[in-house]
Amino acid sequence: MPETELKKIEAIIRPEKLQQVKLALAEADLFPMTVTEVRGRGAQKGICLQYRGKKMEVDLIPKVKIEMVIRNDDVPRAIGAIRAAARTGKFGDGRIFVLPVEQSANVRIADSVTEDG
Amino acid sequence: MKKVEAIIRPEKLEQVKKALAEKGLFAMTVTEVRGRGAQKGICLQFRGKKIEVDLIPKVKIEMVVPDAAVDTIIEIVRAEARTGKNGDGKIFVWTIEMVAGVRTDEIMTE
Amino acid sequence: MVLDSGDTAFILICTALVMLMTPGVGLFYGGLVRRKNLISMFALSFVAFAVVSIQWVLFGYSLAFGPDIGGVIGGLDHAMLAGVGFDGDGIPDLLFMAFQMVFAAVTLAIITSAVAERIKLSSFIVFGFLWTTLVYDPLAHWIWGGGWASALGILDFAGGIVVHISAGWGALALALVIGKRAGFGQYGMEPHNIPMTLLGGALLWFGWFGFNAGSALAADGIAANALVVTNTAAAAGALAWMGASWINGKPSSIGMISGAIAGLGAITPAAGFVDPASAVIIGVVSGLICYYALLWRLSRNLDESLDAWAIHGVGGLWGTLALGIFAVAGIGGVAGVITGSPAQFGLQLIGAAAALGYAFAVTWICAKAVDLTLGLRVSEDEEYVGLDISQHGESINA
């Protein structure tokens, strides 16, 4: 595995934790990211509200997805920072996925394939 | 583990969600997106003038599942989201190398 | 024929208040449709306002308020506003004309409920012109312009018949002609922006003070009574509808604001004739029957999309009859069933039935005529991509 191998981190977190996670990642020197507002449900099947004996299931709860393409070496640091900042200990804290990235090209700079220049 | 990304018609989301849940495939992330496919959008004729409408509103479903579940998801999404007309969508499959929980320290790797 | 500066100032302001109801309808409806049709829904209200503004000046006002011809329509003596000047009874005739114009405009805006998310803009302009001419103007003449209904003694203080029955039952006919939206009944078509609908409802409630109090055509006690009963009925309707929907699930905010509109529609004909205690009953009953009318409409798979029929049509009908039940002689000079005079109720029944039948039938004919010549509906593709893009070339997705 070459040193420059790139990974994409996709983290689904609570929207209210975004500011803290951004800060923690910046402190870990991991700055570039793309953020999307998404809706999601986990294996816990959403939130179940009891309503006059009737059950109401709220699935697809608002979440935030952070995407960042980083060096393989930085993956543990990123996961650590996200966990430390986004964890409440309750269901719905989210998940982090790591995907292989085959190529990354800078739009501004020519001939910058795969290097994160 | 694989990530399945399905781009479908927004009005088909409820049906697809329900059918997936019936097979125990519950966890997902949903995003409202806009997209255009190989058909280059929809062409509207206005008195000889053509207006091309691309970037039509769609919904993207993302699910991370064991490899064995991928075929089931594809089958269900096809069965529920298909109208037979252009614009039904596409399904993409990605490799996931690692899944890390946020609430717990659980790590799953290939 | 002396002008009163207080009355004139008051009606000038009320005219502006009622004007704001038309974009209010646009916001109310705009929040209820899917994202891809928001601009279209909002724009239809503005188009309605503009079309009626011109129609009214050209000949609409004259058809409604010109010299009576056979009890059914006004003559063209005031076409192009001939003879409509600075003089008048309490307020200038010109101001009376403008005040009536904003009523006609909001009525056409209400009817856009029936064609939401599928109307061809050009056809709506033609339809709107026809509808205001053939449905609104005659009805306004019957009730307010010296026609047969006013001669009989049928009462409608601010437009329960002329505005709400005509728009509501017209919307039902129009929806039947244009047909369901593609996919209606097969998948959900959830409102895309509820706060926008609530804001539209707020503007309607606010504007309704001008609508009802201004219909006294003077800044006097009747106007104050109208304002108080209007607010009371709106509040009662909001709570009643919310309560009814609470029993069946959650108390939705859309239900709450729909109930307020139902209460407002119902109190409109009666605002100058009933007291605040009766307004509570009128509002509660309106909230409940309009809610059940909406459920019935859904159960019949009828795509009168944004419920002008269930809310304005049914609420306006109830309010027109309620006038005959709850009227108090000490307020508007007319007694109802409760104070021992059943005759007025009979008159109200005749007026409501005639207007309802006329509005439904003539709207159906107008809609059919436009559909057969120009086509009311957009193409399947245009409907699928949404009217914002296909009719206006614009999109809220920047």
Side-chain angles (χ1 to χ4, degrees), chain C residues 268-301:
Chain C
T268 294
F273 302 100
V274 301
D275 60 25
S278 304
V280 175
I281 303 172
I282 291 173
V284 166
V285 172
S286 190
L288 293 177
I289 58 174
C290 293
Y291 173 60
Y292 287 103
L294 185 150
L295 293 183
W296 180 85
R297 192 272 292 174
L298 286 172
S299 75
R300 298 303 303 264
N301 216 16

Side-chain angles (χ1 to χ4, degrees), chain A residues 49-52 54 56, chain C residues 246-251:
Chain A
L49 297 177
Q50 278 288 347
Y51 177 71
R52 281 202 189 168
K54 261 191 286 188
M56 215 175 86
Chain C
W246 208 328
I247 292 167
N248 292 333
K250 286 282 190 187

Side-chain angles (χ1 to χ4, degrees), chain A residues 5 7-8 10 12-13 36-46 57 59-60 65 75 79 82-83 86-87 89-100, chain B residues 1 3 5 13-14 16-18 20-21 24-32 59-60 62-64 94-108:
Chain A
E5 198 190 346
K7 301 288 179 198
K8 180 162 94 155
E10 264 186 42
I12 314 283
I13 60 164
T36 320
E37 271 148 41
V38 298
R39 294 178 298 146
R41 58 185 190 186
Q44 291 77 31
K45 308 205 169 181
E57 234 171 61
D59 61 356
L60 297 189
K65 179 167 77 171
V75 169
I79 292 178
I82 293 168
R83 275 180 168 162
R87 184 174 292 176
K90 282 181 273 189
F91 284 121
D93 275 352
R95 251 165 209 275
I96 304 165
F97 306 114
V98 181
L99 289 74
Chain B
M1 306 285 284
K3 177 164 94 160
E5 248 182 59
L13 174 64
E14 282 308 311
V16 171
K17 259 170 64 188
K18 205 168 144 234
L20 287 167
L25 294 160
F26 208 83
M28 63 169 65
T29 302
V30 174
T31 319
E32 272 140 41
V59 156
K60 178 168 77 173
E62 290 166 280
M63 314 179 74
V64 174
W94 302 71
T95 301
I96 294 282
E97 296 188 341
M98 190 205 300
V99 182
V102 175
R103 180 175 57 84
T104 62
D105 284 329
E106 157 200 43
I107 293 263
M108 281 183 283

